[in-house]
Amino acid sequence: MSFTSFVWEIGNISNKSSRKRHRLRRGQAHITPEASFSSSPGSPGSSTVQIEQRQWANLPPELLLDIIQRVELREQCWPGRRDVVACASVCRSWREITKDIVKTPELCGFLTFPISLKQPGPRDTPIQCFIRRERATSTFRLYMGLSPGELSKLLLAAKRVRRTIGTDFVISLVGDDFSRSSNKYVGKLRSNFLGTKFNIFDSQPSRDSTVCSSCESCRKTHPGKVAPRVTTSNYNTAKISYELNILRTRGPRRMQCIMNSIPVSAIEEGGTAPTPTAFTNCLDEYSSPLLDSAGRRPQVGSTSRSMQNVPLVLKNKAPRWHEQLQCWCLNFKGRVTVASVKNFQLVAAVEPSENVTIAEQENVILQFGKIGKDIFTMDYCYPLSAFQAFAICLSSFDTKPVCE
């Protein structure tokens, strides 16, 4: 049997054994969480799943490792990348080996599993995506790819919900389920009434140990109070603020992003950004450990511990005025073709006392721009994740009458 036929046979068995729990659509693949693979002994169909898993789980680990490594090296983009996901869907042993072989986006530059959307992007080459806006349904869809096409993969979707005191953008893994009680819910973006300040809430904390200890301390501190019923967790990971433009002076919008969950030490030489390895739930709503109780940035000290507690701040890259075109210009390297007030590039805003090189300060971490009617490009890299970059770009779609 040829290697190609063997891979296709693996995919067919994967589809048969998990037809009710997995969906492999054209240009889209989804893996259910780990908990969905476990079934009770008395549940219908559990014996059939065990028989089909046993058929492939008995392969020698060395042979299984070599097979998955070849598939992983061969398929580097969608839709071919679905074969790697199919290998992880065969059985639990295949899933564990596949998770060990497939690296994080920071190391390989590929988005393979849903948790990859919460992990930092690559350091050298940005991951190129595009956003499609649907005005009729107030939804925004993030796709993987250089430009709109049939083979583009849906990464995230958001729905705008207007409230009396602001606007919410509910972010989900799928485009037809935006309920906060669903396991497809990954976070939200919330704005104030003027659309000048935003908060990014994640469905899971970036540092599980810190947050879980905070959960227990909160429950012990107030034993007499009844905990409010919260369907999902909301962890404040970033704050976005747009500068007011009351005098209506010419120029693009000015914005600043305080990444509460990313320390500034992440962009220093040898620094690392928080990288979750699995989806977790903690039923409470928290502030970031990188901010004090009053929501202020802590003072920078001389020790490395205090440097790790300083959040990363992103700012607009200053554009230049083009005399011939009579407009503000930024070098988007061909990724943006239509002038818009929504276009922006974000770079790190660091203090002189912080050990960050000039090249790192000039590095564009996130860029967003218009290429057509309701079509926008989004390119991001380390230390931002796809979820964080998408949420920042969504803030540009909200109405800002006092910022333009």
Side-chain angles (χ1 to χ4, degrees), residues 98-259:
T98 305
K99 289 168 61 178
D100 292 337
I101 293 176
V102 176
K103 305 300 181 182
T104 62
E106 179 183 353
L107 300 178
C108 68
F110 307 135
L111 299 174
T112 306
F113 300 112
I115 192 60
S116 302
L117 302 173
K118 296 291 188 72
Q119 298 173 341
R123 293 177 180 264
D124 300 328
T125 304
I127 294 181
Q128 297 178 325
C129 313
F130 69 92
I131 300 175
R132 183 186 298 274
R133 174 175 59 182
E134 299 179 2
R135 298 176 182 267
T137 57
S138 297
T139 57
F140 306 83
R141 301 175 186 270
L142 175 67
Y143 293 92
M144 179 74 176
L146 298 176
S147 60
E150 295 183 356
L151 300 181
S152 302
K153 171 178 171 53
L154 176 65
L155 300 179
L156 292 169
K159 183 176 182 61
R160 178 164 51 192
V161 180
R162 297 193 181 276
R163 302 178 297 115
T164 56
I165 58 175
T167 303
D168 280 355
F169 291 85
V170 182
I171 305 176
S172 172
L173 290 172
V174 296
D176 55 357
D177 185 2
F178 297 97
S179 172
R180 288 186 55 189
S181 60
S182 171
N183 60 353
K184 308 300 188 299
Y185 172 81
V186 295
K188 68 179 180 180
L189 175 73
R190 171 166 291 182
S191 73
N192 62 353
F193 179 75
L194 296 178
T196 57
K197 296 184 181 298
F198 296 81
N199 287 293
I200 300 177
F201 293 95
D202 198 340
S203 62
Q204 69 174 40
S206 60
R207 300 182 179 182
D208 298 342
S209 59
T210 304
V211 174
C212 289
S213 62
S214 176
C215 289
E216 296 173 358
S217 63
C218 288
R219 295 191 183 100
K220 293 178 181 178
T221 305
H222 308 283
K225 293 185 178 181
V226 178
R229 183 179 180 182
V230 183
T231 56
T232 55
S233 58
N234 280 308
Y235 184 74
N236 194 343
T237 60
K239 297 179 182 295
I240 308 172
S241 60
Y242 287 82
E243 185 176 327
L244 298 178
N245 189 14
I246 302 177
L247 300 179
R248 301 287 181 174
T249 57
R250 297 183 65 183
R253 295 172 178 171
R254 297 180 182 179
M255 62 186 298
Q256 184 184 68
C257 304
I258 302 178
M259 308 306 299

Side-chain angles (χ1 to χ4, degrees), residues 204-358:
Q204 69 174 40
S206 60
R207 300 182 179 182
D208 298 342
S209 59
T210 304
V211 174
C212 289
S213 62
S214 176
C215 289
E216 296 173 358
S217 63
C218 288
R219 295 191 183 100
K220 293 178 181 178
T221 305
H222 308 283
K225 293 185 178 181
V226 178
R229 183 179 180 182
V230 183
T231 56
T232 55
S233 58
N234 280 308
Y235 184 74
N236 194 343
T237 60
K239 297 179 182 295
I240 308 172
S241 60
Y242 287 82
E243 185 176 327
L244 298 178
N245 189 14
I246 302 177
L247 300 179
R248 301 287 181 174
T249 57
R250 297 183 65 183
R253 295 172 178 171
R254 297 180 182 179
M255 62 186 298
Q256 184 184 68
C257 304
I258 302 178
M259 308 306 299
N260 301 334
S261 60
I262 304 177
V264 69
S265 59
I267 62 174
E268 296 178 356
E269 186 176 358
T272 57
T275 306
T277 57
F279 287 101
T280 59
N281 283 324
C282 192
L283 301 182
D284 211 333
E285 188 161 343
Y286 310 98
S287 297
S288 169
L290 298 181
L291 296 180
D292 57 19
S293 58
R296 299 186 300 266
R297 293 179 60 175
Q299 297 295 328
V300 178
S302 57
T303 63
S304 58
R305 181 179 179 86
S306 62
M307 288 295 295
Q308 293 178 356
N309 291 332
V310 178
L312 174 66
V313 178
L314 305 178
K315 66 175 182 179
N316 281 88
K317 187 173 184 180
R320 61 180 181 86
W321 178 256
H322 199 289
E323 291 293 342
Q324 296 180 350
L325 299 178
Q326 290 295 301
C327 65
W328 296 94
C329 296
L330 282 171
N331 183 14
F332 288 94
K333 299 181 180 180
R335 290 284 290 161
V336 178
T337 57
V338 180
S340 174
V341 71
K342 296 180 176 62
N343 302 346
F344 65 82
Q345 289 181 333
L346 293 184
V347 296
V350 298
E351 302 293 338
S353 58
E354 296 169 350
N355 186 22
V356 180
T357 62
I358 301 299

